[in-house]
Amino acid sequence: MTIAESDFPIDNGMSCVPISPEEEKRIVKDLIKQSELNLKDGNLYFIISNRWFSSWQRYVGHSDGILSTDQQSSDGLHADTVHLKITDRPGPIDNSDIISNGSNCGGSDLDIHRTLVEDKDYVLVPQQVWERLLGWYKGGPALPRKLISQGVGPKQYSIEVYPLCLKVTDARDNSVSIVKLSKKATVSELYELVCKVKGVEQHKARISDYFNLNKPSLLTASDQTLEDANMTMDQDILLEVSVDTDRSSHSGVHSMGNELALVPLEPPRSSVSIAGGPALSNGHSSGSGFNFYQGSSVSSSLTTMDDKYDVYSGERGGLAGLQNLGNTCFMNSALQCLVHTPPLAEFFLEDYSDEINMENPLGMRGELALAFGDLLRKLWSSGRTAVAPRAFKGKLARFAPQFSGYNQHDSQELLAFLLDGLHEDLNRVKQKPYIEMKDSDGRPDEEVANECWKNHMARNDSLIVDECQGQYKSTLVCPECGKISITFDPFMYLSLPLPSTVTRTMTITVFYSDGSGLPMPYTVTVLKHGCCRDLCQALSTACCLKSDEILLLAEVYEHKIYRYLDTPLESLTSIKDEEHIVAYRLKSGARKTKLEILHRYLDSGKGGERKIFGTPLVTYLEEDPQCGANIEPYVHRMLAPLRKAHSSTKSHEGKETGFISGGSDEQSSICNSHSEPRNPALCTREQEGTSCGESSFQLVLTNEGCFSCEPIDKASVIKPSAHIKVFVDWTEKEYELYDASYLSDLPEVHKTGFTVKKTRQEAISLFSCLEAFLTEEPLGPDDMWYCPQCKEHRQATKKLDLWKLPEILVFHLKRFSYSRYLKNKLDTFVNFPIHNLDLTKYVKSQDGPSYVYNLYAISNHYGGLGGGHYTAYAKLIDDNKWYHFDDSHVSPVSEGEIKSSAAYVLFYQRVGSDVQMEEATS
């Protein structure tokens, strides 16, 4: 018996029966879950091109449980629709688009392009998933990578997508070879691999750290990892070989038997690298990432200052650059800002050994502070010679594995880690007491603030606290019981949103439910995470709502009311930009029966079928309706503003002449679209005997789902109900009398295309960013507050106020926004003061000093998300000149050039005296 050919693959892992796409998806999901439960060093993962993997995901149906890639549909609701349309089974696995050196080498030797971004260009799957996909689809080639653990303390796992590449310079002939191995490999394993590649007996080899082709430092075969030995991507190492074992104890022996001296080597690469090669999103720089100089040698004066430093007696300090070690411009930018922070520089240039806290369990045994202090001293003592921060990066990778490797990271995230790490390593408190925080309970703010700061200082006392920590007041209000909770918390920096990231513009069409005016669209600005109450307040101001009126919000979909937004605290995130929202102006007070009016017309092309069109009208009946005669006046009153103006002469009969603004004839005075609301009884008399009553709409009573139709006239009995829906059937006669266009073409809540072009070049001030930060806003659904009075989690409103500001004030401009399907960077120009930034009026503490600040450093970010390039502007401590720090390159810059849309983190120092203020002003 033979099995007929099938579109489904054979499941080689379980049986010989073809399986469906749904079964493939289930198997892969289960294998991924199993691998996540068994994480350990050495587990294999495989790289797969996202181009192929996306086609496979479409074939089996998108699922968040498999892998979530950027190529997926941004609308999860339509995932099933996509699956129905795209069901072609993908061909063999094809990784050719991500491989950089062809497919001639063995699998373990294959490299992928260094510019690739995970989840955009490639995905990583466990070994079991790869084997199953390979069995189903064949293809390849295989690109295995190992799982490694990083950091001290709790293990953090990562997949080493890019193994460490080292350039071996053979001292015998100056040839250069490439070896690749894990940064977790030991120096002994490096010896073994190099000797195997070069065909050298291991006991005759001597390998040295030849970083920057300078200062060879012997690497002793040991269990020390290459990461701990500060090996970096594309770094040079030097191989020296002795002729015989008898002389192997010498420093190095030439193949002819002569003792070797180090040979000055001409660098095999470009001698110019300003920014360490291009900054890449999830790879490494395409070049070596360092500056090279012609004729460099061991005795060259262009020392890297990597292992030790000497006090530089010639040129002034503080003008040294930092070499890019492979996408480390984010680190260099942050470091230059910190080493040019006056209190930090003064502290670390003196003897600070007594301040190191090696016992703090929250610190890093003082190692981070020592590494930072050592680097700062090198930068201030090396003149203009660029410093390679290898030792510091090694410590950083050890204590903060998220910054290890050679991917681009966020300079602000690094700054936050460094400030906190330096604080803990310099904490003067050896034993932190346990302190139970008390609620404010209506006590004066000054008392509560002083108590909170005293408790904070009892556990945290360091240079960082002295200079960089402030205090803000946080007020939470429960939306249910009104409980107010006030706390005073310390801060190290202020993350300011750009106004466009916390607000949104919304266009809402307002309808008059008393027939006193035409519908009018209004565009208002509200908080993104605000609630319907905020939207109603903004609309009330825009449309000049009267004191005796309220607004009822509703979403219109397919010419019906899809939902009423009548819950004041409902989040505005439930309203999408493409939706159509209307607001009905209603009289406030007791409301009994809601009347909803829908419009229909006769479609002659479909056998007399009636179709719904336009926008529903909503009002409240002043009393319970008893018959159709009680409803009809409300319908005519609400449609009155739509009546067209007609000439009394026959020649103009039926022709639209515009809306009436006033006239001498009776029709004009009666049908004035801008007249005051009329009495329903008066409208009834008008319809019986005046020209305004020429139209006689057919009213049809329907149910909640609009499925039933029951024609009603003046004598029809209407059952009492809280919600009555009626159809108004339009005829040609009504189209001549009324302008139905005002009921159609509702604007969307937000049109993205126009706003981007309009606001992209608009500048905002630092003060507007600060005010957006201090604006009251509701907490998000994922950040609920536990109300001690309600004993439940509530979506409380939160208000921040500045209570006390530090000597060094750091502003982080939140240019990056992330969501599941969208990543964005705002290049909005923020206009920030360089001198005399006065924040006194924003500080709530009454007895504090004046808070006036001068700018002294900026961390800049150029380019897009995941990549781009970081630089820094900084001012030297003892003069008033600005300098541009672009990795190794340092150049003077005028004060007028430092303001740009690239400004990302701003560093200010408080002006301490009137003399300083006068100097800054001059």
Side-chain angles (χ1 to χ4, degrees), residues 498 500 752-764 815 824-830 901:
L498 305 190
S500 57
T752 55
F754 304 105
T755 308
V756 171
K757 291 182 180 178
K758 179 182 177 183
T759 62
R760 185 176 57 180
Q761 300 300 328
E762 290 181 359
I764 57 177
R815 294 191 176 277
N824 186 35
K825 184 203 170 187
L826 295 173
D827 287 316
T828 308
F829 176 74
V830 177
S901 59

Side-chain angles (χ1 to χ4, degrees), residues 511-516 545-552 584-592 618-622 634 637 676-678:
F511 285 81
Y512 290 79
S513 295
D514 59 3
S516 61
L545 196 72
K546 298 177 182 178
S547 59
D548 62 342
E549 291 180 317
I550 61 169
L551 290 176
L552 175 64
Y584 299 101
R585 294 181 67 150
L586 302 164
K587 289 291 182 182
S588 58
R591 298 183 297 276
K592 295 182 178 180
V618 175
T619 189
Y620 279 98
L621 303 182
E622 297 173 2
Y634 287 91
R637 182 172 67 179
E676 291 296 319
R678 283 152 284 177

Side-chain angles (χ1 to χ4, degrees), residues 225-259:
T225 66
L226 299 179
E227 183 178 41
D228 291 339
N230 295 327
M231 293 291 107
T232 59
M233 181 66 73
D234 294 328
Q235 183 184 321
D236 293 272
I237 57 176
L238 182 68
L239 171 66
E240 299 169 289
V241 183
S242 61
V243 171
D244 52 64
T245 55
D246 294 335
R247 303 188 62 185
S248 60
S249 60
H250 294 286
S251 61
V253 180
H254 189 269
S255 58
M256 298 298 293
N258 298 324
E259 188 169 289

Side-chain angles (χ1 to χ4, degrees), residues 724-776:
I724 295 177
K725 278 189 176 183
V726 297
F727 286 125
V728 172
D729 288 339
W730 288 60
T731 64
E732 289 297 330
K733 182 178 180 181
E734 276 69 41
Y735 274 116
E736 291 179 4
L737 293 173
Y738 295 91
D739 188 349
S741 65
Y742 283 90
L743 299 174
S744 306
D745 303 325
L746 283 180
E748 294 180 2
V749 168
H750 182 70
K751 272 285 189 185
T752 55
F754 304 105
T755 308
V756 171
K757 291 182 180 178
K758 179 182 177 183
T759 62
R760 185 176 57 180
Q761 300 300 328
E762 290 181 359
I764 57 177
S765 71
L766 183 65
F767 294 104
S768 63
C769 297
L770 181 60
E771 286 161 4
F773 172 77
L774 299 175
T775 300
E776 180 182 14

